[in-house]
Amino acid sequence: MITENQFDMVFDCQQIFKALMNALARPGHIETMAPQIEKLETDHAALLAAGLTLLDNWRSFYVCGDAPELAQELKEMTYGVPAEPEKADYVFLPRGYQNQKSIREMLESVKIGTLPEPHKSATLFIELDQLCGGPETTLTGPGINGAITVTLPEEGRQWLVERQAMAFEFPCGVELYFITPQGQIMGIPRKIKVGGTR
Amino acid sequence: METIKRNDYNFAFLDEGSKREIRRAILHAIAIPGYQVPFGSRELPIGRGWGTGGIQLTMSLIGPNDTLKVIDQGNDDSVNAVSIKRLICSTTGVETTTDTAEANIIQSRHRIPEEPLREDQVLVLQVPTPEPLRSVDAHEAVTRQLHADAEYTGIWVNLFEQLLTRGSAFKGADHPVMADDRYVMNPSPIPRYDNPKLDHAQCLYLFGAGREKKIYAVPPYTKVESLAFDDHPFEQENMEGRKCRLCGAEHVYFDEIFDPETGERYYQCSDTGYCLKRQNEQKAEKEGLR
């Protein structure tokens, strides 16, 4: 059996978690998990990698759009529990999800936690072709030194604008991760605002 | 004494399911600065209350290429620090250091190192009592609701009572702070001298309470304000006029050592790694001059 370059559930998951953690602690900065993604020979490998790191039989997930193979792999490899978006702890949005639901519909359906238990909320992993090259957007909030300018593609920017327009009462809210198929990742926690001053 | 063999355990002692549980809690904690995320605290070969929250955080973060520093009240060589270091090293094989600048994961009990921490560093603090509202109400369901409503009157009353009865509103250690204008949190029993280091720091702070089963965090560049009254502004311990007897440092946090025979009081840096680094630099300078 060839074991070289096989995805390692201990060490590769640790590296991916570090990327997820750093991305969330430093919103707007691009982290990478490319070396780990290369080991997963599947479509939507970056989303799968995030799922392998966070999911198990104690957490539920929902895959939006037409990616049955991703849902199947997440279920079989992690024992994660498939659920409706209203109940899912982790929501995966592979490219093409727009055919099924709009951004607003998605944000209206996922769970946002409660004021006493805001951690019982969903984390969304959104697959984008790239994390730069779009219009300039200024972000402010904890984790950002003053303000940071990102150039997320219009679709990514739309997620941020829509989430802000929903005006979830903090501490309720959802975390957004933007992921490219190559393994670049950007985390935008619930308290990050588009524009504004600190 | 029986030694732990690397291959007897999973990498970093905890099983992968436990790490996932802790990692999920860490991500929620970072997203909501100061909010205490409950988690399934695991049994460890160290009694609860001896740093198990910090150990579980470190074990979930650490990878084979990381460099670890563990301190206990600023000291790299105390029993607690050495025991924790031995457990982590024997189950991961990572390098350890006493130099704050060399480490990328620093686990600490009751101190934040003197050297400013960088963006690529994580400071893990061991927390005995994470709930600042516990003195207000003994019930978890009540304190959770108080946090939800941002209802912190009880804490302000406690501080005011302390001001009236003891002349100072400030606690000797673990003085509560407001994280990002929303959650009051206990910064773990660090001296007030260290409280300002939490404000807009470059590094990520993670707080782990193993016995109380809570994880919380302060992300980099986050506003952290020590609670104080307008007419009684926050004050750190006064370190004026003190000097380290070993390295000559001033304006750092000191340990006081009393010699009962001579009646003399000495001061030396509480952060032993910082003190040793300064002593080595001074020695190297002297040798270079010769």
Side-chain angles (χ1 to χ4, degrees), chain B residues 236-256:
Chain B
Q236 291 168 278
E237 293 86 349
N238 186 5
M239 295 289 157
E240 287 299 315
R242 296 176 185 182
K243 202 172 181 180
C244 176
R245 66 166 176 162
L246 299 174
C247 74
E250 292 175 275
H251 308 293
V252 295
Y253 193 75
F254 292 107
D255 286 341
E256 187 179 79

Side-chain angles (χ1 to χ4, degrees), chain B residues 7 30 44 55 63 66-67 81 83 85 103 145 149 152-154 164 178 181 185 187 192 196 205 220 236 248 258:
Chain B
N7 293 331
I30 293 170
L44 287 171
I55 294 171
D66 287 321
T67 306
S83 303
K85 229 180 305 193
Q145 190 58 47
D149 299 337
Y152 295 123
T153 313
L164 291 181
M178 176 72 83
D181 292 326
M185 64 169 231
R192 291 197 312 279
Y205 291 101
Q236 291 168 278
F258 180 67

Side-chain angles (χ1 to χ4, degrees), chain A:
Chain A
M1 190 173 76
I2 300 169
T3 55
E4 198 185 358
N5 285 334
Q6 231 178 26
F7 187 86
D8 189 304
M9 287 297 286
V10 176
F11 298 106
D12 287 326
C13 282
Q14 184 267 336
Q15 289 293 313
I16 292 166
F17 167 70
K18 270 281 188 75
L20 293 172
M21 182 183 80
N22 290 334
L24 210 58
R26 280 171 269 280
H29 286 272
I30 296 173
E31 299 286 326
T32 184
M33 43 187 192
Q36 289 75 42
I37 303 301
E38 285 170 11
K39 297 176 189 174
L40 293 168
E41 292 175 4
T42 174
D43 288 343
H44 315 298
L47 295 179
L48 179 64
L52 291 176
T53 305
L54 297 172
L55 275 175
D56 55 26
N57 57 338
W58 289 93
R59 288 295 182 276
S60 56
F61 73 93
Y62 171 72
V63 176
C64 184
D66 188 26
E69 70 290 350
L70 175 63
Q72 191 68 17
E73 280 170 329
L74 284 171
K75 190 180 163 192
E76 286 175 358
M77 294 172 79
T78 69
Y79 301 109
V81 184
E84 290 307 303
E86 291 78 11
K87 290 183 178 170
D89 298 303
Y90 296 96
V91 177
F92 298 89
L93 297 118
R95 281 171 298 170
Y97 65 85
Q98 299 94 329
N99 301 337
Q100 197 165 330
K101 274 189 177 177
S102 71
I103 292 173
R104 175 55 75 101
E105 282 172 335
M106 207 61 232
L107 284 169
E108 281 175 348
S109 62
V110 296
K111 57 180 188 179
I112 60 167
T114 60
L115 291 176
E117 295 184 315
H119 65 283
K120 291 186 174 173
S121 55
T123 301
L124 279 63
F125 292 92
I126 303 148
E127 196 174 40
L128 299 176
D129 288 330
Q130 50 189 8
L131 300 182
C132 49
E136 288 194 349
T137 308
T138 305
L139 303 177
T140 55
I144 298 172
N145 189 9
I148 189 169
T149 301
V150 296
T151 58
L152 277 171
E154 185 53 41
E155 183 192 339
R157 188 176 186 280
Q158 208 53 43
W159 273 99
L160 301 180
V161 172
E162 288 282 354
R163 185 180 68 168
Q164 195 153 317
M166 299 277 294
F168 300 122
E169 184 182 1
F170 185 83
C172 296
V174 293
E175 270 64 67
L176 303 178
Y177 276 107
F178 298 113
I179 295 189
T180 68
Q182 294 75 35
Q184 287 187 314
I185 185 158
M186 186 189 286
I188 312 287
R190 61 190 72 187
K191 213 173 184 188
I192 300 301
K193 297 276 179 229
V194 176
T197 51
R198 292 219 88 201

Side-chain angles (χ1 to χ4, degrees), chain B:
Chain B
M1 191 175 66
E2 199 179 334
T3 52
I4 296 172
K5 292 193 194 87
R6 166 74 185 84
N7 293 331
D8 288 350
Y9 295 92
N10 187 29
F11 178 81
F13 189 80
L14 296 172
D15 61 281
E16 291 305 303
S18 303
K19 287 184 195 172
R20 264 194 298 276
E21 163 78 1
I22 296 160
R23 287 169 179 170
R24 289 189 295 244
I26 291 172
L27 295 182
H28 282 303
I30 293 170
I32 315 168
Y35 170 70
Q36 300 164 51
V37 183
F39 79 108
S41 184
R42 267 45 178 177
E43 293 287 339
L44 287 171
I46 287 181
R48 284 192 170 152
W50 290 86
T52 52
I55 294 171
Q56 289 177 80
L57 286 174
T58 303
M59 296 295 206
S60 306
L61 291 176
I62 207 160
N65 300 322
D66 287 321
T67 306
L68 175 74
K69 174 181 164 84
V70 182
I71 48 174
D72 174 6
Q73 297 207 334
N75 198 324
D76 286 278
D77 306 317
S78 82
V79 174
N80 192 228
V82 171
S83 303
I84 292 172
K85 229 180 305 193
R86 275 182 51 195
L87 173 66
I88 298 172
C89 289
S90 50
T91 54
T92 60
V94 297
E95 296 286 322
T96 60
T97 180
T98 59
D99 186 350
T100 302
E102 279 180 17
N104 54 356
I105 299 175
I106 302 163
Q107 182 174 331
S108 172
R109 170 180 173 265
H110 300 195
R111 271 312 308 277
I112 295 174
E114 295 292 346
E115 282 181 73
L117 300 174
R118 302 183 308 266
E119 281 197 4
D120 61 326
Q121 294 178 306
V122 180
L123 185 73
V124 174
L125 281 154
Q126 303 167 199
V127 184
T129 47
E131 181 52 80
L133 287 162
R134 191 56 70 228
S135 60
V136 177
D137 198 291
H139 303 91
E140 176 67 17
V142 176
T143 53
R144 187 163 281 282
Q145 190 58 47
L146 291 173
H147 278 295
D149 299 337
E151 171 49 66
Y152 295 123
T153 313
I155 291 182
W156 287 107
V157 170
N158 281 355
L159 292 179
F160 185 63
E161 277 178 357
Q162 201 175 305
L163 175 66
L164 291 181
T165 54
R166 289 164 50 191
S168 168
F170 308 120
K171 291 187 178 180
D174 214 1
H175 184 74
V177 296
M178 176 72 83
D180 205 43
D181 292 326
R182 179 58 179 82
Y183 280 101
V184 170
M185 64 169 231
N186 275 350
S188 86
I190 54 173
R192 291 197 312 279
Y193 176 86
D194 285 341
N195 273 26
K197 293 178 190 170
L198 294 165
D199 182 39
H200 286 94
Q202 289 189 20
C203 69
L204 167 66
Y205 291 101
L206 295 176
F207 300 80
R211 184 181 49 199
E212 303 291 324
K213 306 177 184 67
K214 298 281 178 57
I215 287 170
Y216 52 109
V218 174
Y221 305 111
T222 298
K223 184 180 171 190
V224 177
E225 209 174 359
S226 300
L227 297 192
F229 298 104
D230 287 347
D231 52 347
H232 287 271
F234 177 72
E235 282 173 18
Q236 291 168 278
E237 293 86 349
N238 186 5
M239 295 289 157
E240 287 299 315
R242 296 176 185 182
K243 202 172 181 180
C244 176
R245 66 166 176 162
L246 299 174
C247 74
E250 292 175 275
H251 308 293
V252 295
Y253 193 75
F254 292 107
D255 286 341
E256 187 179 79
I257 297 154
F258 180 67
D259 186 339
E261 285 181 9
T262 62
E264 272 187 281
R265 286 172 198 279
Y266 305 103
Y267 295 100
Q268 65 187 53
C269 298
S270 149
D271 185 342
T272 57
Y274 174 77
C275 192
L276 189 67
K277 201 172 176 179
R278 276 178 57 90
Q279 288 177 60
N280 287 340
E281 280 168 5
Q282 288 162 359
K283 200 173 155 192
E285 259 178 44
K286 267 187 197 169
E287 281 171 2
L289 288 174
R290 272 178 205 158

